[in-house]
Amino acid sequence: MNEALCSILCGEDVWSFDTEGRSIKFNEDGTGELWCRCNFNYWITAEFGWKSIESPPDPIPTKTAATPRDTTRNGLPQPLGQLNLEITLFKRLPNRVRDSVLKTSTIINEQSLTDDAFRPKLFHVRIEKGNFVEPNSIGYLPDSDKPRFAVRLLFDKSPYPPRSEWRMPEKGPDDSQFWDHVEFVSRSSPDLAKQGRAMNEVPVGAWSGCVVS
């Protein structure tokens, strides 16, 4: 196990796709929490088990589907290292919310996910240091108005279950496509805004190919 990288992974309070409810958290004891709240609906609020696997067989390439926007005028993020993780999602709610209204939800966790979503899965992840904005805010609002974060966690595939593991994806999940979320940020650092454009922000002109009809 790469203890230094695992320390960084667990040292952050939470890794966020957005601060409104889509996040992942790793604890030093091999547990964690996956949250998926969107448009006032809690789709996933679950504990998971995780472990680092020695000698990743297929490290994340320098460029993956997760990082099409890495190159900006501010340069590239600093890679801190890669980990190979086995993550097993559990059906139970995190302990801190087991007595909350969430326990009566009819769409949360196994209510919306198939049994395959709760089988062990292998992920290759990379941790980077740099100047980042929340992935959910990329392409929206002036860059200078967005909160900045100093570290980023990239997955080779989303920690959220793929579409095939949702019971009725057309009933809400299709709108947000959680299974495409592969980038999470942490370590709020407001001063990074002074350094200019975020490293994961869409460069000016990147949307010029879009057509509105």
Side-chain angles (χ1 to χ4, degrees):
M1 175 185 295
N2 190 320
E3 294 184 1
L5 280 179
C6 286
S7 178
I8 296 173
L9 186 71
C10 301
E12 302 302 325
D13 183 56
V14 67
W15 298 87
S16 300
F17 179 82
D18 63 41
T19 53
E20 299 302 317
R22 282 172 280 184
S23 66
I24 189 167
K25 175 180 174 61
F26 293 85
N27 300 318
E28 292 181 350
D29 63 359
T31 65
E33 297 179 13
L34 184 65
W35 287 71
C36 184
R37 175 183 178 271
C38 187
N39 296 328
F40 304 104
N41 290 315
Y42 285 87
W43 296 100
I44 300 175
T45 303
E47 286 190 348
F48 62 79
W50 72 276
K51 59 183 177 180
S52 175
I53 308 298
E54 296 284 352
S55 303
D58 297 304
I60 299 177
T62 301
K63 291 293 178 182
T64 72
T67 58
R69 298 176 294 268
D70 281 350
T71 304
T72 73
R73 70 180 71 176
N74 286 348
L76 293 171
Q78 175 189 350
L80 298 181
Q82 298 183 155
L83 287 169
N84 202 40
L85 302 179
E86 182 183 280
I87 298 177
T88 305
L89 192 65
F90 301 143
K91 296 179 180 180
R92 63 177 179 262
L93 295 170
N95 186 58
R96 58 194 172 100
V97 295
R98 285 180 193 169
D99 293 326
S100 72
V101 67
L102 293 178
K103 69 181 181 181
T104 64
S105 172
T106 59
I107 65 170
I108 208 166
N109 298 349
E110 72 271 24
Q111 305 293 332
S112 289
L113 300 171
T114 69
D115 287 343
D116 285 343
F118 302 97
R119 302 185 190 280
K121 294 184 174 68
L122 187 65
F123 299 88
H124 303 304
V125 303
R126 182 166 73 239
I127 301 175
E128 298 176 340
K129 182 179 180 181
N131 181 355
F132 309 109
V133 293
E134 292 177 342
N136 189 52
S137 73
I138 292 173
Y140 301 95
L141 302 176
D143 193 63
S144 59
D145 293 342
K146 300 173 184 177
R148 298 302 178 94
F149 300 84
V151 287
R152 174 168 68 168
L153 178 65
L154 290 168
F155 286 78
D156 64 328
K157 59 181 179 289
S158 179
Y160 294 113
R163 188 181 189 278
S164 60
E165 295 177 2
W166 291 78
R167 296 184 185 279
M168 294 187 291
E170 69 280 0
K171 297 296 186 179
D174 272 348
D175 293 336
S176 298
Q177 300 185 3
F178 309 122
W179 43 84
D180 288 337
H181 297 352
V182 294
E183 180 180 0
F184 299 80
V185 295
S186 191
R187 200 177 301 172
S188 178
S189 304
D191 287 346
L192 288 175
K194 300 175 183 177
Q195 298 181 14
R197 181 173 293 275
M199 293 175 176
N200 61 338
E201 181 58 280
V202 177
V204 173
W207 297 102
S208 58
C210 296
V211 177
V212 178
S213 58

